[in-house]
Amino acid sequence: MSSSSTQDELPLRIFASSVILLVYSFICREASDAGMLFRILVVGGISVVSYFTVSFFISSVIPLFLKAGLFGRDINKKGTPNGEEKVPEPLGLVPATVYIMILCVLHLVAFHNGDARLYTAAMACVTFMTLLGFADDVLDLRWRYKLVLPLIASLPLLVNYTGKTTVILPRIIRPFVGWIASHFGGGLVGSVSGRLVDLGLGYYIYMAMLSVFCTNAINIYAGINGLEVGQSVVMAIFVTIHNALNLRSDIPKDDIHLLRVHHAFSLDMMLPFIAVCLGLMYHNWYPSRVFVGDTFCYFAGMTFAMGSILGHYSTTLLLFFVPQIINFVYSLPQLFGILPCPRHRLPKYNVKTARLEGVKTHLNLVNLVLLITGPLHERTLCFLLLVLQAVCCSLALVLRALYLRYFP
Ligand code: UD1
Ligand code: MG
């Protein structure tokens, strides 16, 4: 990256650092007791170290990736000298490796406080997913196989899971699920009692589907510099805010102790995750010096899925995935082959204006936003999409709070 583009980024870097510091201070404030605060400070310290470790190691391994022939071309710069350069890929391998090491360290000091077996299983899923993501990047698998990979990677959790199979469902759909349970139950949906719905075997299908959705949703909302890792950082920040809000001891709930354990556990997973993602983002932000690869998309999606399953907030997690859900639903005609789906559904780069233009036949959110706003610079487009993500996540948090207040 040239020194002038680094200078251009300075206000953005200051803004991003301020947001991170603000959120971290908020989490510390919500800690509510000294033990929890100590834990958040230790995990925060480990996270800072992991940020520098990731950004340093990425710089070091770039030549190795190029030598091994692991690189891609920046399609959104086609027709310019930058478009001819070899961009090393998949550098998502570095944050994933550092992250798995951190999970091991946290396991060693037994910060998770919960079921050690489930924690190990979740770690195995993230590791397995990273391996399969790397295999996908190297082998360039077909779309239908990509869909199945997260299903395979979620097996360690599925075979070890002996925890609850209940979910708290919104009031509106409880009668509907109750009706299914009484008519077609048969182990798929157990029972409905009050807020809790026992999904029985259905819970295992739900966990597998969540892994498939989270991983692929990030992978198909991609293709412009900084978007894959940027969306993961924004969502993870909102997950930590949600976790912090549930750490407070003054919440009027019977299961307050368990709730705090679950959300503290998720914070342990999310704080280092944000840090390793930022270490990667340092290199992947426009103009990308490295590409994250499917390795990163799968690793990030699986981390969200595991954090939310073990932290018991998977329905709330889906609220943070609203742009990804819109992108997925809008993509369906092409994903299911009703309309032709080209290998890449990226916008069109106009060499004369140096702007990206929306392509009507590429049905995804990136192109839809461009068709609404008109041509944009790649960096501006990524920033706009991340702002959209933050707005959707904020709305999700507010709507959830309002809903719980009026329909407890
Ligand atoms: C998914 C999308 C595809 C999109 C691709 C971009 C679907 C069904 N698939 O495919 O439409 O084009 O992601 O990641 O929606 N690249 C860039 N600039 C970037 C990031 C990636 O040009 O900022 C290009 C590079 O050539 C890179 C390649 O995309 O090598 C990576 O594509 P890959 O992740 O393998 O594509 P898929 O995940 O299969
Ligand atoms: Mg991809």
Side-chain angles (χ1 to χ4, degrees), residues 17 85 93 95 129 188 195 210 220 245 249 288 309 319 339:
S17 314
E85 274 176 28
L93 190 63
M129 191 72 266
L188 198 61
R195 300 157 67 223
L210 192 71
I220 65 169
L245 288 171
S249 48
S288 291
I309 289 170
L319 289 176
L339 293 173

Side-chain angles (χ1 to χ4, degrees), residues 82-123:
N82 280 347
E84 300 303 314
E85 274 176 28
K86 294 173 180 174
V87 184
E89 181 179 17
L91 265 298
L93 190 63
V94 176
T97 309
V98 172
Y99 182 72
I100 294 161
M101 283 164 67
I102 296 171
L103 288 191
C104 293
V105 171
L106 292 180
H107 192 37
L108 197 69
V109 292
F111 260 1
H112 51 79
N113 248 352
D115 186 334
R117 189 169 135 182
L118 284 188
Y119 185 85
T120 316
M123 257 181 1

Side-chain angles (χ1 to χ4, degrees), residues 71-77 87 89 136-137 140-141 143 146 219-228 284 288 290-294 297-298 327 331 335 341-346 363-364 378:
F71 58 82
R73 308 265 181 203
D74 203 328
I75 302 170
N76 295 320
K77 296 174 187 58
V87 184
E89 181 179 17
D136 178 13
D137 278 318
D140 204 5
L141 296 177
W143 178 236
K146 283 177 195 271
N219 191 29
I220 65 169
Y221 190 35
I224 61 165
N225 293 180
L227 184 58
E228 290 102 319
N284 180 244
S288 291
V290 305
F291 285 146
V292 303
D294 292 348
C297 301
Y298 293 158
N327 184 51
S331 297
L335 297 184
C341 184
R343 171 70 182 85
H344 287 288
R345 303 187 299 156
L346 298 180
L363 303 182
N364 57 30
E378 187 174 0

Side-chain angles (χ1 to χ4, degrees), residues 175-231:
F176 174 67
V177 177
W179 184 83
I180 295 184
S182 56
H183 286 77
F184 307 101
L188 198 61
V189 176
S191 59
V192 182
S193 69
R195 300 157 67 223
L196 287 181
V197 179
D198 188 351
L199 295 181
L201 178 63
Y203 194 80
Y204 288 79
I205 299 174
Y206 170 71
M207 288 190 287
M209 289 298 123
L210 192 71
S211 310
V212 172
F213 174 75
C214 291
T215 47
N216 284 294
I218 296 176
N219 191 29
I220 65 169
Y221 190 35
I224 61 165
N225 293 180
L227 184 58
E228 290 102 319
V229 62
Q231 63 183 296

Side-chain angles (χ1 to χ4, degrees), residues 23-86:
V23 172
Y24 188 62
S25 325
F26 170 75
I27 294 169
C28 291
R29 205 191 66 128
E30 296 294 292
S32 76
D33 69 54
M36 188 74 82
L37 181 62
F38 175 71
R39 175 171 168 170
I40 293 170
L41 290 176
V42 171
V43 178
I46 294 176
S47 302
V48 173
V49 175
S50 60
Y51 166 79
F52 288 107
T53 311
V54 169
S55 55
F56 170 76
F57 272 113
I58 289 181
S59 308
S60 319
V61 299
I62 284 176
L64 298 181
F65 274 68
L66 293 175
K67 197 174 156 213
L70 296 171
F71 58 82
R73 308 265 181 203
D74 203 328
I75 302 170
N76 295 320
K77 296 174 187 58
K78 209 171 175 183
T80 70
N82 280 347
E84 300 303 314
E85 274 176 28
K86 294 173 180 174

